Amino acid sequence: MPKAGSGVSLDGLGMPMWLTLELTYRCPLHCPWCSNPLDFDKYGNELSTEEWKKVLRDGRKMGSLQLGFTGGEPMLRDDIEELVGEAENLGYYTNLITSGIGLAPDRLKAMKKAGLKQIQLSLQSSDRDITNKLVGVDVYDQKLAVAHDIKAQGFPMVLNVPVCKQNISQTRDILKLAEELGVEYIEFANIQYYNWALVNRSELLPTREELEDAEEVVMEFRERLGNRMSIYFVIPDYFDKRPKACMNGWGAIHLTIAPDGAALPCQESRVIKNLEFPNVREHSLEWIWHESPVFNEFRGDKWMKEPCRSCDERDKDFGGCRCQAYLLTGDAANTDPVCAKSSMHDLIQTGVAEATDPRRIQRPLVLRRKGAITSDFLETAG
Amino acid sequence: MNETAAISGNDVVEINPMYFFRWEEPQQAYVLLYPEGVVKVNETAAAILKMCDGKRNTGQIVSELNDLYTTDVSESVYKFLEVSHAKGWIRRKS
């Protein structure tokens, strides 16, 4: 990730350098931390191949460079090979972010031929039963087979491990597995507690001690493996005193297009219910990025309230995450409550205490399924 | 071959195949692209990376750059190659 600078332009010079296409919300997995909306099934109106191609062309004209194909499960789109090919011709660096399901060897070959640059594969655990239970389908063996196929095709590969209570103690085994697979990058991704993950927060969030133990293992592997495998691991914002520099700032370098064509400053921003997200079916990408009210809403620092407004770190973390501020405090313009300077920081401390209390009453994980939860939850969370 | 040894004049280096190095018109800059990342490199860094082609050895790179800039830049070139190697942007050709 580029380092944060100040003001609107940053490293992207005001361009949406990072373009993320959520090709579909459909997915064969039922992960309890899914970033898709709780009512994901209500967005059936996916963009057509031609509409996605237009997004690709317009994005490139505006300086988009890194391109992520994600979902849902992007392999459920049977036009993905065609879209990768188009993106490649336009000069993007193409990333596929996948569960691996549907990535059969013949499609992998087709993706290679289309010019796909790298594949990010999710891995939930080094244990078959835990994996299958977490995602609600028997996929572990298939995922490992796909991981081998990806390497056999010569793709650089990122293993993405969502860090949670259920897998944090397997850090060593997961790293060993990654080493055996010969992946170049492994990312221990902190679960972002929005949507499904927020519903399940108390059953997912690990303790500080567990995280510190895992970090020690990570450091041992980094020392031994050096350049052979990059290991991304950071302590999650819930255990920090300052918020993450979310998206390098709102509308700074990231542009996400949802399956139905809604343009979002980040993949989660749909959780902010009072924003009217512009749609690529109705507006030009140029207008959306530069002119639309949504993309200007939290751009720069004019929108900030105290304590952000007078904080000398506001150019560093941009006040943290707007979605987190909205979900936890009820106002997206508030300081991210992760910040110890926030008057509502106790919301985070309470959340951590709740999740890490060994005597808490455990609840079953709510897996991502149609109708499993109503989105009314979002309205009352603040 | 020692992975961590300092880059010497006889080493032939190339861009790590995990990285993509190219000119990016909208940014008016050379960029190194890799999974989920971009590094914008400045003009002088780009001049060095362009020569990491798996053909020249670093001694040749240094002497060509000395000619190009008509001054002795060897120290900063070696320094940059070290950093690039440590970051994994370039590797010794085997």
Side-chain angles (χ1 to χ4, degrees), chain A residues 125-137:
Chain A
S125 165
S126 53
D127 180 280
R128 177 182 293 108
D129 292 340
I130 294 176
T131 302
N132 293 343
K133 219 172 139 193
L134 276 174
V135 306
V137 208

Side-chain angles (χ1 to χ4, degrees), chain A residues 35-100:
Chain A
S35 63
N36 290 169
L38 296 173
D39 56 354
F40 65 91
D41 53 299
K42 293 190 184 126
Y43 303 87
N45 196 11
E46 288 175 13
L47 294 187
S48 68
T49 309
E50 285 315 308
E51 284 171 318
W52 282 122
K53 282 187 178 174
K54 183 168 188 317
V55 169
L56 287 171
R57 285 193 301 271
D58 294 348
R60 190 69 189 122
K61 266 185 236 152
M62 291 164 63
S64 293
L65 180 53
Q66 277 279 357
L67 178 68
F69 288 104
T70 183
E73 173 49 62
M75 292 311 295
L76 286 178
R77 289 278 304 213
D78 54 17
D79 56 357
I80 187 158
E81 292 86 348
E82 191 180 342
L83 295 175
V84 167
E86 176 81 7
E88 196 50 38
N89 288 339
L90 290 165
Y92 284 101
Y93 187 90
T94 45
N95 305 267
L96 175 70
I97 298 146
T98 178
S99 68

Side-chain angles (χ1 to χ4, degrees), chain B residues 47-82:
Chain B
I48 301 169
L49 286 174
K50 269 189 267 185
M51 293 190 183
C52 299
D53 55 4
K55 294 185 189 109
R56 299 168 166 95
N57 67 32
T58 53
Q60 287 167 299
I61 292 176
V62 167
S63 84
E64 281 185 50
L65 288 167
N66 281 343
D67 291 347
L68 184 69
Y69 292 103
T70 61
T71 173
D72 184 6
V73 293
S74 46
E75 198 184 327
S76 47
V77 173
Y78 274 117
K79 216 174 185 174
F80 178 76
L81 289 172
E82 286 298 334

Side-chain angles (χ1 to χ4, degrees), chain A residues 1-2 10-13 15 17-18 60-66 88 91-93 95 117-118 120 151 154-158 160 184-185 187 227-228 232, chain B residues 3-4 16-40 82-91:
Chain A
M1 297 286 289
L10 301 168
D11 298 282
L13 306 175
M15 299 175 205
M17 279 179 85
W18 247 268
R60 190 69 189 122
K61 266 185 236 152
M62 291 164 63
S64 293
L65 180 53
Q66 277 279 357
E88 196 50 38
Y92 284 101
Y93 187 90
N95 305 267
K117 290 286 186 293
Q118 79 99 0
Q120 185 191 111
K151 286 321 294 175
F155 283 107
M157 177 168 149
V158 180
N160 187 292
E184 288 78 11
Y185 302 85
E187 180 177 0
N227 271 347
R228 262 200 296 151
Y232 300 110
Chain B
E3 269 263 320
T4 52
N16 183 332
M18 291 303 128
Y19 288 80
F20 226 70
F21 176 64
R22 68 165 167 80
W23 174 254
E24 173 67 2
E25 185 65 26
Q27 295 287 332
Q28 288 294 303
Y30 277 90
V31 288
L32 269 166
L33 295 158
Y34 57 101
E36 293 180 86
V38 181
V39 180
K40 263 204 276 191
E82 286 298 334
V83 171
S84 303
H85 187 247
K87 287 189 181 290
W89 299 342
I90 59 169
R91 64 176 193 184

Side-chain angles (χ1 to χ4, degrees), chain A residues 132-189:
Chain A
N132 293 343
K133 219 172 139 193
L134 276 174
V135 306
V137 208
D138 286 357
V139 290
Y140 181 78
D141 295 334
Q142 201 179 335
K143 273 173 171 282
L144 278 202
V146 166
H148 285 289
D149 292 345
I150 291 171
K151 286 321 294 175
Q153 286 290 332
F155 283 107
M157 177 168 149
V158 180
L159 265 192
N160 187 292
V161 183
V163 176
C164 56
K165 267 198 226 302
Q166 291 79 354
N167 65 19
I168 185 98
S169 62
Q170 300 151 31
T171 305
R172 181 177 299 278
D173 290 338
I174 292 171
L175 282 164
K176 270 193 220 155
L177 181 61
E179 189 186 352
E180 281 162 26
L181 286 169
V183 306
E184 288 78 11
Y185 302 85
I186 179 165
E187 180 177 0
F188 288 95

Side-chain angles (χ1 to χ4, degrees), chain A residues 108-370:
Chain A
L108 254 182
K109 256 182 225 155
M111 296 291 255
K112 186 81 190 175
K113 209 174 150 204
L116 182 69
K117 290 286 186 293
Q118 79 99 0
I119 297 179
Q120 185 191 111
L121 180 72
S122 62
L123 183 81
Q124 291 76 16
S125 165
S126 53
D127 180 280
R128 177 182 293 108
D129 292 340
I130 294 176
T131 302
N132 293 343
K133 219 172 139 193
L134 276 174
V135 306
V137 208
D138 286 357
V139 290
Y140 181 78
D141 295 334
Q142 201 179 335
K143 273 173 171 282
L144 278 202
V146 166
H148 285 289
D149 292 345
I150 291 171
K151 286 321 294 175
Q153 286 290 332
F155 283 107
M157 177 168 149
V158 180
L159 265 192
N160 187 292
V161 183
V163 176
C164 56
K165 267 198 226 302
Q166 291 79 354
N167 65 19
I168 185 98
S169 62
Q170 300 151 31
T171 305
R172 181 177 299 278
D173 290 338
I174 292 171
L175 282 164
K176 270 193 220 155
L177 181 61
E179 189 186 352
E180 281 162 26
L181 286 169
V183 306
E184 288 78 11
Y185 302 85
I186 179 165
E187 180 177 0
F188 288 95
N190 288 315
I191 289 176
Q192 307 292 324
Y193 292 98
Y194 323 115
N195 288 326
W196 296 87
L198 184 55
V199 172
N200 290 305
R201 187 177 66 183
S202 291
E203 299 309 319
L204 293 172
L205 190 69
T207 65
R208 180 186 291 276
E209 291 69 34
E210 286 171 324
L211 287 158
E212 283 168 357
D213 288 350
E215 192 175 32
E216 240 172 74
V217 177
V218 165
M219 289 195 289
E220 180 195 318
F221 272 77
R222 277 187 187 142
E223 177 85 8
R224 189 165 61 77
L225 295 176
N227 271 347
R228 262 200 296 151
M229 186 165 87
S230 302
I231 309 172
Y232 300 110
F233 180 96
V234 290
I235 299 291
D237 60 349
Y238 268 57
F239 295 95
D240 209 345
K241 288 200 165 44
R242 289 289 177 272
K244 54 185 183 271
C246 199
M247 309 314 284
N248 260 22
W250 183 275
I253 54 170
H254 284 273
L255 171 61
T256 293
I257 309 298
D260 61 336
L264 317 173
C266 83
Q267 284 180 262
E268 313 277 358
S269 47
R270 258 191 163 145
V271 300
I272 306 177
K273 288 297 173 198
N274 50 343
L275 293 179
E276 196 74 44
F277 293 98
N279 195 297
V280 296
R281 281 179 167 136
E282 287 146 29
H283 300 281
S284 73
L285 212 55
E286 189 87 32
W287 181 86
I288 287 171
W289 179 255
H290 293 291
E291 310 291 335
S292 73
V294 162
F295 276 79
N296 285 296
E297 184 81 26
F298 304 114
R299 211 171 235 163
D301 57 12
K302 297 273 186 294
W303 56 272
M304 286 180 183
K305 303 196 222 172
E306 292 298 347
C308 288
R309 187 191 289 270
S310 58
C311 181
D312 57 9
E313 291 172 74
R314 68 181 182 282
D315 290 339
K316 213 171 97 190
D317 58 35
F318 319 107
C321 170
R322 296 307 89 229
C323 305
Q324 191 146 276
Y326 175 82
L327 284 173
L328 299 182
T329 77
D331 182 350
N334 278 339
T335 298
D336 185 336
V338 152
C339 185
K341 290 184 177 181
S342 160
S343 60
M344 288 183 258
H345 183 57
D346 61 306
L347 291 168
I348 296 293
Q349 291 168 312
T350 313
V352 170
E354 232 171 63
T356 56
D357 182 352
R359 296 159 307 169
R360 79 186 188 287
I361 297 167
Q362 293 190 24
R363 285 173 301 181
L365 287 169
V366 179
L367 297 193
R368 179 200 123 131
R369 288 184 203 278
K370 178 182 169 178

